[in-house]
Amino acid sequence: MSDEERRDSLADQAAAWVPPWNRPRPAAPPPADQEDLGDERPPEGPDSSKISPAGEAAEMGERKQRAPRRRAAPAPPPAPELDDAELRGALEAILLVVDEPVSELTLAQVLEQSPERIGPLLDDIAAGYTAAGHGFELRRAAGGWRLYTRPEYATYVERFVLDGQSVRLTQAALETLAVVAYRQPVTRSRISAIRGVNCDGVLRTLVSRGLVEECGAEPDSGAFLYRTTTMFLEKLGLNSVDELPPLAPFLPDDVEELADATR
């Protein structure tokens, strides 16, 4: 080889030479325990760690098999049905100790009996007391049932219980209570207008004794409305205010003239 050819060969080698830091690195071989997936690659992004639906269903099935099964608690045995005589005695015993009218549903729940049996049996008990002429009677009052003394024996009961021990309502309180009972719901200003005097103190007394209560406000003026309570019905032995006696027989003949004068 001539000198000129040797120089050309060295120049070609120098041009083709690449520094080691610029040479491409060989790809690392996959680990021995990694399965070759071929062209299939796991999904990228936030869903890459999710389990397939089939795998999730299988995992849930295994959890259900491993979880211990809980036994359902046995249902309590139904209460034995009382015969009429025993149910009648139980009702009478409860009615002797109650201090306020008790509903048929409450009696049925306490005795664990069907409510359909309670009402007719109470009616039968009340009719039996009336037919036997007892000094007490069973009647509906304030949405429930309670034993009451008969009106014809009220004088003897009053002599025994109330002689010198009662705190009676004043005439002003009775008049105010009557206005509330017949005009309810009614505002305080309306009560005062009907009676012609201020009724604030009397109304507070009736509220404190549980005979009258607030029941909302008037839409136009925002004034408080008042009505009678269940205690009022209980004390009078009424089942609802619809049983109040009519006022017409007690009104004066010139009531219309009086009404026009107060306007």
Side-chain angles (χ1 to χ4, degrees):
M1 180 181 296
S2 62
D3 294 338
E4 185 178 356
E5 294 176 351
R6 188 180 295 109
R7 285 194 300 267
D8 294 339
S9 177
L10 292 174
D12 294 339
Q13 293 178 4
W17 181 79
V18 179
W21 54 83
N22 288 337
R23 297 176 183 174
R25 297 181 181 180
D33 56 348
Q34 182 177 354
E35 183 180 358
D36 186 8
L37 300 178
D39 294 338
E40 296 182 359
R41 295 183 180 180
E44 298 179 356
D47 296 337
S48 59
S49 60
K50 288 187 177 180
I51 306 175
S52 63
E56 186 176 358
E59 184 177 355
M60 291 295 295
E62 293 178 358
R63 290 181 181 178
K64 290 182 179 180
Q65 292 178 358
R66 292 195 301 265
R69 294 183 178 179
R70 297 181 180 179
R71 295 183 178 179
E81 184 174 353
L82 304 178
D83 56 31
D84 290 344
E86 188 172 2
L87 182 57
R88 180 190 182 97
L91 289 172
E92 291 176 334
I94 293 175
L95 291 170
L96 280 174
V97 299
V98 298
D99 55 357
E100 60 183 13
V102 59
S103 65
E104 298 176 8
L105 181 59
T106 300
L107 292 171
Q109 292 175 347
V110 171
L111 299 175
E112 298 182 347
Q113 300 299 310
S114 172
E116 288 75 11
R117 297 185 60 196
I118 303 299
L121 190 54
L122 288 173
D123 291 331
D124 183 66
I125 294 174
Y129 289 163
T130 302
H134 291 299
F136 56 89
E137 63 181 352
L138 177 64
R139 66 173 184 261
R140 293 179 181 270
W145 292 83
R146 188 181 179 184
L147 292 171
Y148 290 88
T149 57
R150 293 194 179 277
E152 54 266 31
Y153 303 112
T155 304
Y156 307 106
V157 176
E158 183 179 5
R159 187 185 306 169
F160 177 77
V161 178
L162 303 178
D163 188 14
Q165 303 179 18
S166 63
V167 179
R168 299 179 182 273
L169 293 176
T170 63
Q171 184 67 25
L174 289 174
E175 292 177 1
T176 303
L177 183 59
V179 172
V180 175
Y182 283 94
R183 298 300 298 270
Q184 58 183 317
V186 62
T187 62
R188 184 179 305 181
S189 61
R190 183 60 179 165
I191 299 172
S192 299
I194 293 174
R195 292 198 59 233
V197 294
N198 187 285
C199 301
D200 292 354
V202 178
L203 197 57
R204 283 195 297 268
T205 301
L206 295 175
V207 171
S208 64
R209 293 194 178 183
L211 298 174
V212 173
E213 65 182 359
E214 294 180 0
C215 61
E218 194 176 39
D220 297 334
S221 64
F224 289 113
L225 295 171
Y226 293 89
R227 66 183 178 189
T228 55
T229 62
T230 54
M231 181 182 290
F232 169 80
L233 298 175
E234 178 186 348
K235 295 299 183 183
L236 294 185
L238 304 176
N239 192 42
S240 69
V241 293
D242 296 334
E243 298 180 2
L244 288 170
L247 283 178
F250 303 98
L251 296 177
D253 297 335
D254 55 347
V255 61
E256 295 182 357
E257 298 178 2
L258 295 174
D260 295 336
T262 57
R263 292 178 182 174

